[in-house]
Amino acid sequence: MANSSSPQMPSAHRADILENPLRTYLLGIIISICGNVVISISLNIQKYAHVRQSQRGSKPYYTSVMWWCGVVLMGVGELGNFAAYGFAPASLIAPLGCVSVIASAVISVVFLKEMVRPSDIVGGTLAIAGTYLLVTFAPHTFTHITAHLVQYYVISWHFLLYLFIEVIIFCILLYLYKRRNMKHIVIVMLLVALLASLTVISVKAVSGMITESIKGQLQLIYPIFYVMLVVMVASCAFQIKFLNQAMKMFDATEVVPINFVFFTASAIVAGIVFYQEFEDLALLNIFMFLFGCLLSFLGVFLIARNRPKIKQQDRNFIAMDRIPGGRRTDKVQPEAKTTTYGSLAAKLMCNRAGETDDS
């Protein structure tokens, strides 16, 4: 007799779990890779927009056309990831975010004229090897996401416990970030990661139900679809807000790798808890999958390690001609070159300038 103490998945839902063809996996992987490359480009464009706005004056970053172009590109990249989640498990698509880190390193070499370091080559090799292990040993089953299945997952006790813990941690981090003014990159990126877990859950649910509707099984008439749609939009909006604040306060070479590690871990946990993607997975597959995660994280760390940061002119920069008693040589044209005399005092005000930017 079956144990009635734990809820059992309905037989109709079990029948929806089928072997996913290799062609479908490859399609999801290709879409995800393209989306992550576009996201990497968008992050660098937004960072450049912040740097340019800080050099030009005190105008908000959202008045820059270039910043909005970066936002649009990020939307396109996320749309690609949205489609990819409809073809493969979240635990398979999320680790492919290392492509974004590798692409960022390539962009810095091509456009910022940085040198290719040995650690870049080693890190890229480890990241690619880790990605191969992740793709190979990830769960190779495909679940038809229906409204009834999503409702079943939402009310499961393990997800409700996971959601409760996540809300508590998010509130504590938000209190430290806003009230205690702790502008640490780990705190900001943890806020992004916690929101990303809800994004992954809702994106896969919405994408799966849309896919089933296109196939002929209409899922858009169920309220759970619109609940997940609202969660997806809200979590994406706040995720972009905190990510954008991180890009303002820290360098892209710091934000991108940390975001990859936190987002990947958050997405994998979300897939395991909500969609039960590791259910009945062999122990060897789990070990190799985690080993692939470790290789990818190590590769990302090596790529970002000691990479030159993008220099950003200080908001409190004081030109020589504006300093009382400052003298300007005749050999230097005022419009062509200014000296950063007074930057020492500006550096002492960096924290105050960061608070002003965040507001």
Side-chain angles (χ1 to χ4, degrees):
M1 180 178 296
N3 186 9
S4 58
S5 61
S6 60
Q8 299 292 326
M9 182 180 296
S11 59
H13 296 160
R14 290 183 180 273
D16 283 338
I17 302 179
L18 304 174
E19 288 297 323
N20 198 21
L22 178 61
R23 183 172 58 183
T24 306
Y25 272 104
L26 292 178
L27 180 60
I29 291 171
I30 292 174
I31 295 175
S32 179
I33 289 175
C34 294
N36 281 297
V37 171
V38 174
I39 290 174
S40 177
I41 296 174
S42 72
L43 290 175
N44 283 275
I45 289 178
Q46 291 182 63
K47 182 63 179 180
Y48 178 75
H50 286 305
V51 173
R52 193 174 68 170
Q53 287 297 104
S54 65
Q55 292 175 347
R56 289 185 173 182
S58 59
K59 284 186 177 181
Y61 60 88
Y62 50 79
T63 61
S64 171
V65 176
M66 180 171 294
W67 183 83
W68 282 107
C69 290
V71 172
V72 171
L73 283 178
M74 176 174 285
V76 173
E78 292 294 350
L79 184 62
N81 281 332
F82 173 83
Y85 280 108
F87 294 98
S91 56
L92 174 63
I93 296 299
L96 292 179
C98 66
V99 175
S100 176
V101 180
I102 298 174
S104 294
V106 173
I107 290 173
S108 65
V109 171
V110 174
F111 294 100
L112 301 182
K113 308 302 180 183
E114 295 182 5
M115 297 296 295
V116 179
R117 306 164 303 163
S119 61
D120 295 332
I121 300 176
V122 176
T125 303
L126 290 177
I128 294 174
T131 302
Y132 172 78
L133 293 178
L134 290 168
V135 171
T136 303
F137 294 97
H140 286 186
T141 56
F142 176 74
T143 304
H144 293 283
I145 305 297
T146 62
H148 294 295
L149 183 61
V150 174
Q151 290 175 353
Y152 171 81
Y153 286 150
V154 167
I155 62 175
S156 59
W157 68 268
H158 41 79
F159 171 70
L160 294 177
L161 178 62
Y162 169 78
L163 183 62
F164 175 76
I165 296 174
E166 182 173 288
V167 170
I168 296 298
I169 296 176
F170 184 86
C171 291
I172 294 175
L173 292 174
L174 192 62
Y175 171 78
L176 295 176
Y177 179 65
K178 291 293 186 180
R179 297 295 183 181
R180 310 297 289 185
N181 199 31
M182 297 179 62
K183 310 296 183 181
H184 196 279
I185 188 171
V186 173
I187 294 179
V188 183
M189 300 316 298
L190 279 176
L191 289 171
V192 175
L194 292 175
L195 291 169
S197 66
L198 295 179
T199 303
V200 169
I201 291 172
S202 57
V203 162
K204 187 171 180 60
V206 172
S207 178
M209 285 187 279
I210 291 177
T211 301
E212 292 300 314
S213 299
I214 295 175
K215 291 180 179 180
Q217 299 181 2
L218 187 61
Q219 305 294 319
L220 308 184
I221 59 176
Y222 296 98
I224 190 64
F225 172 81
Y226 299 98
V227 171
M228 286 295 177
L229 184 62
V230 171
V231 172
M232 181 186 72
V233 174
S235 60
C236 282
F238 284 101
Q239 185 181 346
I240 292 175
K241 175 185 177 181
F242 285 114
L243 186 59
N244 186 72
Q245 291 179 1
M247 293 297 293
K248 287 178 60 181
M249 293 185 293
F250 311 101
D251 195 80
T253 55
E254 297 174 334
V255 174
V256 171
I258 295 178
N259 182 54
F260 163 68
V261 174
F262 286 2
F263 172 82
T264 301
S266 178
I268 292 175
V269 172
I272 294 174
V273 174
F274 189 84
Y275 292 104
Q276 304 174 17
E277 292 178 346
F278 278 22
E279 188 178 11
D280 299 328
L281 193 65
L283 185 61
L284 176 62
N285 287 58
I286 296 176
F287 174 79
M288 295 303 294
F289 182 88
L290 296 178
F291 182 65
C293 287
L294 180 61
L295 288 182
S296 297
F297 295 162
L298 182 60
V300 169
F301 170 77
L302 290 177
I303 292 175
R305 177 174 175 266
N306 295 329
R307 180 168 293 278
K309 298 182 179 181
I310 300 174
K311 299 297 182 181
Q312 179 168 317
Q313 186 175 350
D314 210 319
R315 273 253 178 110
N316 294 298
F317 161 80
I318 304 175
M320 173 65 81
D321 57 342
R322 296 187 179 182
I323 299 177
R327 301 177 62 183
R328 193 173 60 230
T329 60
D330 295 333
K331 294 182 181 181
V332 179
Q333 297 180 358
E335 65 275 8
K337 183 183 294 185
T338 55
T339 181
T340 55
Y341 184 81
S343 60
L344 179 60
K347 289 181 179 180
L348 297 177
M349 301 174 64
C350 278
N351 293 334
R352 184 178 300 176
E355 296 174 4
T356 304
D357 289 341
D358 290 338
S359 60

